[in-house]
Amino acid sequence: MVSRLREIALTLHSPRRWLGLGVAMLAVLALPALNRFTPAGSALHVADHLVPLGGKFLCYALVAMAMDLVWGFTGVLSLGHAVFFALGGYAMGMYLMRSIGTAGVYRSELPDFMVFLDWKELPWYWHGFQHFGFAAAMVFLVPGLLAYVFGFFAFRSRIRGVYFSIITQALTYALMLLMFRNDTGFGGNNGLTDFKTLLGHPLAEQGTKQALYVVSAIALLLSYLLCRFVVTSKLGRVLLALRDAESRVMFCGYSPFHYKLFVWTLSAMLCGLAGALYVPQVGIINPSELQPSASIEIAIWCAVGGRGTLIGGILGALLVNGWKSWLTAAYPDLWLYFLGVLFVSVTLFLPNGILGALSWRKRSAVLALAEAREAEDKHEPSQPLPRQA
Amino acid sequence: MSTDYMLWVDDVSVSFDGFKALTNLTLALAPGELRCVIGPNGAGKTTMMDVITGKTRPDSGDVYMHGSSVVLTHLSEPEIAEHGIGRKFQRPTVFENLTVFQNLELALKAKKTAFRSLFSRLSSEGRDRIDAALGTIGLRERAEAPAGLLAHGQKQWLEIGMLLVQDPKVLLVDEPVAGMTHREMDRTAELLISLAGERTVVVVEHDMDFVRGIARNGKVTVLHEGRVLAEGTMDAVQNDPKVIEVYLGQEAGEAKRTSLGPSAETTGAPC
Ligand SMILES: Nc1ncnc2c1ncn2[C@@H]1O[C@H](COP(=O)(O)OP(=O)(O)OP(=O)(O)O)[C@@H](O)[C@H]1O
Ligand SMILES: [Mg+2]
């Protein structure tokens, strides 16, 4: 048993990489530790507000990694991944709303916004969400089911490339419009907010925030290991092959449909998890998370960090959101321009993202690859070969 | 139609926007046969392979395999591959970001469901088969190199290696020696000849010396404008006036490489 685990661990990473992973994890956990265990005046102290901010970034990192699984590895560019994130968030938000109980403004069993709309009873789809276990299952099942159904039709019809990206944008837009409506039953414009407790712990307490941060970090780590397991398996190599030469994969006897559907659904469920951890840390979920631009930003995180690496998505999400927090505070009007310039320059100058540029070995391989391609083009076989003596 | 065929292309027609790429094409391959298919550019050779492998659906006609129990034209591409049809493309297509070894691993005959791929590991028997193929295609030293870094001829070989480990009953090989040196061509010829017998092999090639070398006394099919123009031994089709006319017409044009005459002397293609 132990040797089997060891064997699996070594297929995921070399011992050196495991060490690096441990160090990175300690660095991530240092943030809430320094917040908790150092006195407020100390040079090492981390300010209270940075804990939920950091936790939020970890959720973004998880989404970016899930995105990398479908885009970086499988070549399926989704511009609707925020849908799955938001659905996970709404599922958790519904639990948090139900946990408020009668402590709301109107002292009603119903969530405040329903009282405000003069609703007399809970819509059927709100039932069960008072149980944490039920809500936690929905966090995975709802995004997973939507992804499965959507993917089933899209991949079966062999929709690819730009067409796929466009319909995912349409998906997020449609869901946003739906969620904006009051009578959909999810709080409309304002969404779900004013949460009080999670599993009995007051969300306003710093201890709860620290715990949420740690849970987010652990969720990210476990999801990373799961993704690593997927991409280091033979299935992972089929995904890369699909990305590079889909028809060749079919003639090898693999059905792209099942492979794509699997990673697509897995990716959506990871996004759901991220959304569920995000909502109690930011205290609100509303339709603005479903704006088409939200999904595009996720793709930009991946592109900036480096696709097809898992770590790249994480890195990109942390960096871009770090800049965003700083810039939107310092120069609120400039953020969108900055994001645009960032995306264009990464596409032009760092096609493999920051990770690709950092890793010299990889870069030289890419250069060699380009050279080989060039050389190949010189005697492209569609040109008649010189055959005459 | 006799029942002891391996693959039977039955009266297949394909058109693209009104342009008839194949017209009532019929072709029967005996088990273990090595069949060469020649014809000028645009004759429909690649389209024929597209139909057999499921990439293109014919407007009419069907493709049967082994005693008409399986109608290939009703199956999807992966299902056809699973029934034992392997294909090498005209333009070498290997998985450039995977290593040579991984390319072969993906092609290796195995259960190819997503579930199996996620949990199964390469058996030692599979490893041996890959290793044997690496030896045959002369890429053992490059096993860990990304396939994208291989020279053109090596990619052709890798693709042939992928066919070997896929262990198909029927191999469709589209222009296997384009971009190969003379020596590599000789080795390819040997390999294809050795594969026939156990399997059925269809080779499309423009290089007439190469075709003559592998066809020996076997049948050669000449396609022209989507139809079978002639079928017979290499000598027979070469002396067929219809064939000569088609190729002479070509000769007047640019495509010298399809020249049929014995004057065309093999020079190694630059690689
Ligand atoms: N997908 C397609 N759409 C439109 N026309 C096509 C398509 N595929 C093939 N054709 C046309 O069908 C004809 C036959 O093409 P095919 O590729 O089968 O010829 P070929 O015999 O393989 O030629 P070559 O020796 O140049 O490889 C050509 O005129 C080609 O332009
Ligand atoms: Mg062709």
Side-chain angles (χ1 to χ4, degrees):
Chain A
M1 179 67 199
V2 172
S3 72
R4 174 97 181 98
L5 274 180
R6 209 183 118 80
E7 191 189 326
I8 292 176
L10 285 179
T11 55
L12 298 190
H13 273 312
S14 64
R16 236 184 80 213
R17 286 287 198 93
W18 273 106
L19 193 68
L21 196 62
V23 171
M25 195 63 193
L26 283 181
V28 167
L29 291 176
L31 188 141
L34 290 175
N35 172 250
R36 188 177 184 109
F37 300 116
T38 59
S42 135
L44 284 176
H45 185 72
V46 169
D48 279 358
H49 76 275
L50 290 180
V51 173
L53 185 69
K56 186 172 97 168
F57 285 9
L58 293 178
C59 297
Y60 288 150
L62 178 46
V63 174
M65 187 180 68
M67 172 79 169
D68 196 24
L69 204 55
V70 290
W71 187 26
F73 284 89
T74 321
V76 174
L77 172 56
S78 162
L79 292 179
H81 250 46
V83 163
F84 308 121
F85 178 77
L87 286 176
Y90 269 102
M92 176 57 83
M94 287 162 81
Y95 164 74
L96 295 170
M97 288 307 268
R98 298 296 310 274
S99 310
I100 298 173
T102 54
V105 177
Y106 300 106
R107 305 283 163 218
S108 159
E109 271 293 343
L110 293 184
D112 281 350
F113 75 88
M114 292 186 193
V115 181
F116 188 75
L117 290 173
D118 207 20
W119 289 8
K120 296 292 174 241
E121 60 184 280
L122 214 55
W124 61 267
Y125 46 84
W126 273 78
H127 288 287
F129 279 91
Q130 69 273 29
H131 306 295
F132 181 79
F134 180 84
M138 290 302 139
V139 159
F140 294 99
L141 290 181
V142 174
L145 190 69
L146 177 67
Y148 186 88
V149 172
F150 180 88
F152 183 91
F153 290 106
F155 297 135
R156 200 188 54 167
S157 323
R158 299 193 178 177
I159 296 173
R160 297 184 193 121
V162 191
Y163 303 99
F164 186 86
S165 305
I166 290 172
I167 56 171
T168 54
Q169 274 269 286
L171 177 72
T172 187
Y173 192 67
L175 197 68
M176 179 183 75
L177 294 183
L178 187 72
M179 288 307 210
F180 261 129
R181 295 167 58 94
N182 279 329
D183 49 15
T184 311
F186 297 101
N189 210 353
N190 301 319
L192 311 177
T193 188
D194 293 329
F195 311 131
K196 305 256 185 299
T197 59
L198 171 63
L199 287 170
H201 302 284
L203 286 170
E205 267 178 19
Q206 193 63 17
T208 311
K209 291 177 185 168
Q210 289 159 350
L212 279 167
Y213 180 103
V214 173
V215 172
S216 306
I218 293 171
L220 179 59
L221 177 70
L222 293 180
S223 307
Y224 170 75
L225 294 177
L226 177 67
C227 291
R228 243 344 255 184
F229 178 76
V230 170
V231 303
T232 54
S233 71
K234 182 178 159 198
L235 183 137
R237 294 189 279 286
V238 175
L239 297 181
L240 281 181
L242 277 174
R243 182 191 71 184
D244 295 345
E246 181 165 338
S247 66
R248 189 70 182 85
V249 180
M250 288 196 281
F251 297 121
C252 282
Y254 298 93
S255 153
F257 172 69
H258 294 110
Y259 283 79
K260 287 184 178 176
L261 195 56
F262 169 75
V263 278
W264 174 250
T265 308
L266 174 66
S267 174
M269 289 169 49
L270 292 177
C271 288
L273 171 64
L277 290 166
Y278 170 87
V279 165
Q281 301 190 75
V282 299
I284 184 168
I285 173 80
N286 66 26
S288 71
E289 303 290 348
L290 287 162
Q291 275 172 8
S293 63
S295 293
I296 295 175
E297 266 192 54
I298 299 173
I300 295 179
W301 303 337
C302 276
V304 168
R307 278 171 288 152
T309 57
L310 296 180
I311 294 285
I314 297 177
L315 191 72
L318 297 181
L319 279 177
V320 177
N321 282 294
W323 289 327
K324 182 177 183 176
S325 293
W326 173 72
L327 259 176
T328 45
Y331 314 98
D333 305 332
L334 287 184
W335 170 245
L336 274 182
Y337 295 103
F338 176 78
L339 194 66
V341 170
L342 181 72
F343 186 54
V344 171
S345 25
V346 163
T347 313
L348 287 179
F349 304 116
L350 297 178
N352 294 298
I354 293 173
L355 268 193
L358 279 183
S359 133
W360 169 249
R361 238 179 48 217
K362 198 164 185 174
R363 186 157 97 192
S364 50
V366 170
L367 283 181
L369 190 66
E371 263 166 22
R373 283 225 180 92
E374 224 164 80
E376 177 191 328
D377 287 346
K378 284 199 186 102
H379 54 244
E380 182 57 38
S382 62
Q383 226 62 30
L385 295 172
R387 306 249 357 107
Q388 226 61 354
Chain B
M1 175 54 57
S2 71
T3 50
D4 59 337
Y5 60 84
M6 190 65 207
L7 192 77
W8 177 21
V9 178
D10 180 27
D11 204 21
V12 162
S13 298
V14 171
S15 59
F16 297 110
D17 305 320
F19 171 78
K20 295 208 120 190
L22 292 179
T23 313
N24 305 109
L25 180 74
T26 295
L27 197 73
L29 301 167
E33 183 179 359
L34 190 160
R35 174 74 62 96
C36 292
V37 177
I38 60 175
N41 293 110
K45 306 181 295 291
T46 300
T47 306
M48 176 190 81
M49 293 199 169
D50 287 346
V51 169
I52 297 172
T53 53
K55 190 175 177 208
T56 299
R57 299 280 154 200
D59 300 340
S60 63
D62 276 311
V63 179
Y64 302 94
M65 197 168 165
H66 200 57
S68 75
S69 54
V70 184
V71 186
L72 292 183
T73 26
H74 296 171
L75 303 178
S76 70
E77 295 98 316
E79 286 166 343
I80 292 173
E82 204 160 313
H83 271 91
I85 306 254
R87 175 174 189 186
K88 188 212 147 301
F89 286 79
Q90 181 163 354
R91 225 170 49 92
T93 39
V94 295
F95 306 123
E96 307 226 326
N97 286 295
L98 298 179
T99 65
V100 169
F101 185 91
Q102 289 169 338
N103 267 273
L104 293 170
E105 184 203 0
L106 285 200
L108 189 67
K109 188 174 186 173
K111 283 261 178 289
K112 289 179 171 171
T113 63
F115 185 81
R116 285 293 185 102
S117 299
L118 185 56
F119 293 108
S120 75
R121 333 188 98 241
L122 187 57
S123 66
S124 64
E125 191 225 333
R127 196 171 288 276
D128 291 346
R129 291 205 17 228
I130 292 175
D131 192 60
L134 280 171
T136 312
I137 59 178
L139 288 176
R140 207 172 260 149
E141 281 76 49
R142 316 269 347 237
E144 294 308 317
L149 299 185
L150 297 181
H152 191 85
Q154 290 177 316
K155 283 185 191 166
Q156 299 266 43
W157 273 91
L158 175 55
E159 221 186 336
I160 293 173
M162 289 165 75
L163 276 187
L164 291 179
V165 295
Q166 194 180 335
D167 194 23
K169 297 188 190 112
V170 179
L171 278 89
L172 306 173
V173 190
D174 204 350
E175 305 207 13
V177 297
M180 280 193 181
T181 64
H182 198 187
R183 271 192 50 208
E184 287 173 324
M185 280 162 71
D186 288 346
R187 278 170 61 202
T188 310
E190 266 172 49
L191 182 62
L192 290 175
I193 291 170
S194 74
L195 286 175
E198 229 175 291
R199 305 156 220 254
T200 307
V201 182
V202 181
V203 181
V204 163
E205 186 48 63
H206 281 290
D207 189 307
M208 287 309 148
D209 299 304
F210 181 79
V211 171
R212 191 174 299 113
I214 60 170
R216 295 171 303 172
N217 291 322
K219 257 195 211 165
V220 174
T221 300
V222 185
L223 288 192
H224 178 51
E225 292 176 348
R227 295 166 190 273
V228 176
L229 186 70
E231 203 165 85
T233 62
M234 189 68 181
D235 284 332
V237 299
Q238 244 176 319
N239 294 320
D240 187 321
K242 285 179 299 187
V243 177
I244 292 170
E245 198 192 309
V246 164
Y247 273 90
L248 283 179
Q250 278 270 311
E251 200 111 296
E254 29 43 88
K256 280 265 163 42
R257 67 166 166 156
T258 58
S259 116
L260 256 188
S263 65
E265 191 192 308
T266 312
T267 53
C271 198

